[in-house]
Amino acid sequence: MAPPVIDCRGVERRFRMGEADVQALRGVSLRVDRGEYVAIVGPSGSGKSTLMNILGCLDSPSGGSYRLDGEPVERLSDAELAAVRNRKIGFVFQTFNLMARQTALDNVALPLVYAGVPRVERRARAREVLEHVGLGNRLDHRPDQLSGGQRQRVAVARALVTRPSLMLADEPTGNLDQATGRDVLQLFDELHAGGATIVLVTHDPQIARRARRRIEIMDGRVQADLAQEAVLG
Amino acid sequence: MAERVPRPVPLFEYVRVAIEAIAANKGRSVLTTLGVIIGVASVVVLVSLGDGVRSYLAEQFAGLGANLIIVQPGHTETSGFGPPLQNVQRPLTLGDAEILKQRATLLSGVAGDLAGGGTVSYTNRARDVMVIGVGEDFWSVRDIHVELGHPFTADDEAARRRYAILGHTVVHELFADENPLGKTIQVSGAPFLVVGVTAPKGRMLGFDLDDLVFVPVTTTQDLFNRDFVTEILAKARGRENVDAAVAQITDLLRRRHVGHVDFTVHTQQDLMGTFTRIADTMGVVVLAIASISLIVGGIGIMNIMLVSVKERTREIGVRRAVGARKSDVLAQFLVESVVVSLIGGIIGLAIGSGVITVSQIALPSLPAKMSLWIVALAFGFSAAVGILSGVLPARRAAALDPVEALRYE
Ligand SMILES: Nc1ncnc2c1ncn2[C@@H]1O[C@H](COP(=O)(O)OP(=O)(O)OP(=O)(O)O)[C@@H](O)[C@H]1O
Ligand SMILES: [Mg+2]
């Protein structure tokens, strides 16, 4: 049997703030299998973003272990972690985090630069993914020429372009109005239907209800982990 | 596993990003490179000038005759071009020259000469010139050709004949278009028969080599009432024999001078060295000035790169998030710093060569010379400045924590 995509055991994360320690994660254990669609909810400051950064290999736990696709990431070098982020993880941020000076196409192609993919192939693959998220007619627009929803779809396309085994999204609709937010969520539903593994952080209970599984984080701990019927709409 | 051996990012990807970033801040980038522009432009101008002076000198001294050795009376530790000393213990004589001619096997020619000022006149024209008494080998040693007529013979010298060979300028001044051969001129009041005219030699370090009157050395001794020679000129058999020939001359003359080295033997290289040393010293001073402006330029680039790293913190975070390694970020900012500096270098090179071209048009005699190695030097300098000033900002960029960088406002 294939190992779970995410296998966290007792993950802790402490931040030093002068004299005091801030304990953002206090032992999170979590398994996510291939093809799951997980929503993480919890109050502000409960540690959701901290957990997502660790799951995305942008940050390392202070304690506990994390296996991604069966591989422990604690001992990976910087270059190896970069490669993991590049090949296995697609990260979507609340604030889009697109390159302001670059076109949608170049933004989406960016991860492929670090994968060592030649330019022509990069552009072809980026165009394909942009078409897939419905932006085939916006390839040469810069972010400031796109609406918020379109920007987030560019960001989703960028996360998808390396065909990662794990999609992470930290409040992807947080900066969008309800209608455009729904468009982006529609995209996640489609990706999930296509077999993608998705972990999504949200404040919005309505959004959380779309996922098949809901994890509640409270004060750095997993408070509840519920399978649920997806409510579409 | 495949991801453990990531394919390297080709250099031109970094260059592309660098050019985009620079283009987004054109005005600032150009201002930043001002120091490098000035530094490289001055290096180019000064080095070209130094190069030009050096090759000008080499050309001038080559005109003295290949493998020339000059023996002067009196002993000096350093070489120079000064006149013979007044209080010499023992002057050089034709006997000294004769010994060298007979015994110094490494010499292909030896000629003592005795020079002095004199007035030459023909009909109603007169001119103050340098009169040089020359030995038989003088022409081959100094590489001067007798174009019209013939050189003095051994017989002329032995008989102390009043024969004269004129330089071109003298011929022009005294005879205009008339044929001087066979005419009688007055040299310091004595009649001399013109037997030859030398081929034009041009000027050397401002001295007109055609404004000379040559007579047999023995005749000058009579004319000036001297029994010594000003100097002895010799020609070594081949470039590789110059040093050995100097040793041979020293040995022979010391023995003749009963063990005293009361003379100095210079080579063409020694003489040239005096001048190139001056050029070198000037070069060091101006290079120091140019280096200071390059350092200032480097600090400017470093500053602007640090600002750029700060401004682009989020961009760095995004790149790290999608798979950039620390080394990618480091390389990207280093390349950017080098590209900025190279742009400054190219502008500086253009300005420098513009200055040289304009000055050559304005002052055609200016011995400035642009060569390929100066272009290489300009590129080398600016690349080095770019690398040095990029290290700190690039390291800072690479050291950024991805999460912090992404949260940076
Ligand atoms: N770099 C840091 N240094 C110090 N403390 C931090 C740092 N990052 C997070 N924290 C602290 O860790 C805790 C969890 O923060 P986190 O950003 O994970 O919360 P969150 O659940 O994502 O909140 P929100 O819903 O508001 O985004 C907070 O108390 C926060 O102040
Ligand atoms: Mg958060």
Side-chain angles (χ1 to χ4, degrees):
Chain A
M1 210 188 96
V5 178
I6 292 172
D7 187 359
C8 281
R9 291 184 196 169
V11 164
E12 296 178 8
R13 182 66 168 100
R14 282 180 296 275
F15 295 102
R16 270 214 79 82
M17 290 290 288
E19 288 299 292
D21 260 3
V22 178
Q23 183 94 359
L25 296 178
R26 301 165 185 267
V28 173
S29 296
L30 186 63
R31 264 180 70 122
V32 177
D33 285 313
R34 194 161 302 283
E36 278 198 278
Y37 187 173
V38 180
I40 294 179
V41 297
S44 187
S46 56
K48 305 181 295 294
S49 293
T50 305
L51 178 61
M52 290 296 270
N53 289 337
I54 287 173
L55 296 181
C57 294
L58 284 167
D59 193 11
S60 314
S62 321
S65 72
Y66 172 31
R67 282 165 182 269
L68 178 67
D69 269 347
E71 197 194 354
V73 298
E74 291 92 2
R75 288 203 178 78
L76 295 185
S77 69
D78 172 77
E80 289 163 340
L81 279 174
V84 168
R85 291 196 293 272
N86 186 245
R87 307 285 166 88
K88 295 197 166 182
I89 291 161
F91 215 124
V92 178
F93 303 92
Q94 180 174 347
T95 50
F96 320 134
N97 278 333
L98 298 176
M99 301 289 209
R101 287 194 303 263
Q102 298 189 352
T103 63
L105 193 71
D106 285 336
N107 264 288
V108 174
L110 185 64
L112 299 177
V113 171
Y114 297 107
V117 176
R119 184 173 159 85
V120 174
E121 189 189 334
R122 284 203 305 261
R123 294 177 72 84
R125 277 170 67 178
R127 166 177 297 134
E128 196 181 305
V129 181
L130 275 168
E131 278 162 3
H132 183 67
V133 300
L135 290 175
N137 54 349
R138 293 285 187 274
L139 301 179
D140 293 323
H141 287 53
R142 276 183 283 114
D144 58 5
Q145 299 164 324
L146 295 170
S147 74
Q150 287 169 333
R151 283 183 218 181
Q152 195 59 303
R153 275 191 279 165
V154 173
V156 172
R158 181 179 66 191
L160 286 173
V161 77
T162 55
R163 302 184 192 111
S165 37
L166 177 61
M167 279 281 287
L168 298 172
D170 193 352
E171 300 197 48
T173 60
N175 278 12
L176 302 177
D177 63 48
Q178 277 216 318
T180 43
R182 259 201 301 279
D183 282 351
V184 171
L185 290 169
Q186 182 69 36
L187 199 54
F188 280 108
D189 290 342
E190 285 167 25
L191 293 173
H192 176 239
T197 311
I198 300 170
V199 177
L200 173 150
V201 168
T202 180
H203 267 118
D204 186 338
Q206 275 211 304
I207 293 169
R209 238 172 279 137
R210 302 168 78 107
R212 297 299 173 89
R213 180 177 163 195
R214 200 170 71 135
I215 294 172
E216 283 176 25
I217 302 270
M218 187 77 91
D219 205 14
R221 286 193 184 86
V222 176
Q223 187 79 8
D225 189 344
L226 311 162
Q228 60 184 15
E229 282 301 309
V231 182
L232 298 178
Chain B
M1 278 171 78
E3 66 266 22
R4 284 187 189 275
V5 281
R7 269 185 279 175
V9 178
L11 185 65
F12 64 80
E13 295 293 350
Y14 301 129
V15 175
R16 190 204 310 279
V17 173
I19 287 170
E20 275 171 18
I22 292 162
N25 273 309
K26 284 187 203 75
R28 188 170 88 181
S29 306
V30 169
L31 279 179
T32 304
T33 57
L34 215 53
V36 175
I37 292 174
I38 294 169
V40 168
S42 45
V43 167
V44 166
V45 170
L46 299 172
V47 172
S48 308
L49 213 54
D51 239 27
V53 167
R54 239 180 300 273
S55 62
Y56 168 79
L57 285 174
E59 221 170 83
Q60 295 290 301
F61 279 94
L64 280 176
N67 310 319
L68 179 71
I69 297 172
I70 302 170
V71 186
Q72 290 179 327
H75 187 73
T76 55
E77 289 300 334
T78 53
S79 60
F81 225 13
L85 302 170
Q86 291 302 302
N87 49 350
V88 195
Q89 309 97 313
R90 176 175 180 157
L92 294 166
T93 63
L94 283 175
D96 291 327
E98 197 52 35
I99 279 288
L100 296 180
K101 197 164 180 166
Q102 285 169 9
R103 307 246 178 100
T105 50
L106 292 171
L107 300 179
S108 63
V110 179
D113 67 55
L114 175 60
T119 305
V120 290
S121 58
Y122 177 69
T123 62
N124 58 343
R125 297 192 198 197
R127 184 169 180 80
D128 289 325
V129 295
M130 176 85 99
V131 179
I132 307 180
V134 300
E136 205 187 343
D137 290 346
F138 177 83
W139 315 104
S140 68
V141 170
R142 278 295 318 273
D143 219 9
I144 293 176
H145 298 286
V146 178
E147 190 181 49
L148 283 177
H150 56 81
F152 309 122
T153 61
D155 204 30
D156 294 339
E157 196 177 316
R160 303 170 113 81
R161 291 209 173 98
R162 306 227 153 170
Y163 282 177
I165 294 174
L166 307 183
H168 248 261
T169 308
V170 180
V171 171
H172 182 78
E173 292 293 324
L174 295 188
F175 291 93
D177 297 329
E178 210 179 321
N179 182 356
L181 287 186
K183 301 285 178 343
T184 300
I185 58 169
Q186 304 290 316
V187 178
S188 299
F192 276 72
L193 181 68
V194 178
V195 298
V197 174
T198 58
K201 274 292 259 192
R203 306 180 78 84
M204 181 190 159
L205 301 170
F207 183 74
D208 188 351
L209 295 174
D210 298 322
D211 202 4
L212 299 172
V213 171
F214 304 96
V215 301
V217 62
T218 46
T219 313
T220 352
Q221 287 185 324
D222 287 353
L223 196 65
F224 296 144
N225 191 23
R226 300 273 188 275
D227 55 4
F228 53 82
V229 291
T230 310
E231 59 189 4
I232 297 171
L233 303 179
K235 188 187 187 76
R237 290 185 197 277
R239 198 187 175 83
E240 66 285 357
N241 288 322
V242 170
D243 288 341
V246 167
Q248 207 171 40
I249 291 169
T250 307
D251 187 50
L252 284 166
L253 288 185
R254 188 181 45 214
R255 267 192 276 162
R256 199 177 135 80
H257 293 197
V258 286
H260 295 295
V261 182
D262 47 8
F263 53 87
T264 306
V265 187
H266 299 299
T267 64
Q268 213 167 332
Q269 258 59 43
D270 295 338
L271 296 178
M272 208 170 111
T274 311
F275 286 87
T276 47
R277 262 195 299 281
I278 298 169
D280 286 348
T281 312
M282 274 168 55
V284 167
V285 172
V286 283
L287 274 183
I289 295 167
S291 312
I292 289 169
S293 58
L294 283 176
I295 290 169
V296 171
I299 292 171
I301 291 179
M302 183 167 78
N303 254 312
I304 220 71
M305 288 303 295
L306 285 172
V307 170
S308 178
V309 168
K310 233 194 163 71
E311 283 173 354
R312 284 152 70 193
T313 298
R314 245 181 126 95
E315 174 194 321
I316 295 164
V318 173
R319 289 181 183 277
R320 298 277 274 133
V322 301
R325 290 156 290 189
K326 279 183 177 166
S327 58
D328 290 320
V329 176
L330 187 88
Q332 183 190 315
F333 280 90
L334 261 186
V335 166
E336 187 169 326
S337 174
V338 171
V339 169
V340 168
S341 188
L342 278 180
I343 289 172
I346 290 168
I347 297 174
L349 190 62
I351 292 176
S353 47
V355 167
I356 289 168
T357 311
V358 168
S359 66
Q360 272 171 335
I361 293 168
L363 291 162
S365 64
L366 190 79
K369 212 172 111 219
M370 270 285 280
S371 54
L372 207 60
W373 82 272
I374 293 172
V375 176
L377 186 79
F379 275 99
F381 260 124
S382 32
V385 167
I387 291 172
L388 290 178
S389 48
V391 169
L392 182 70
R395 287 176 64 116
R396 196 166 283 187
L400 284 174
D401 176 68
V403 176
E404 304 267 340
L406 282 166
R407 285 208 312 207
Y408 185 83
E409 295 298 330

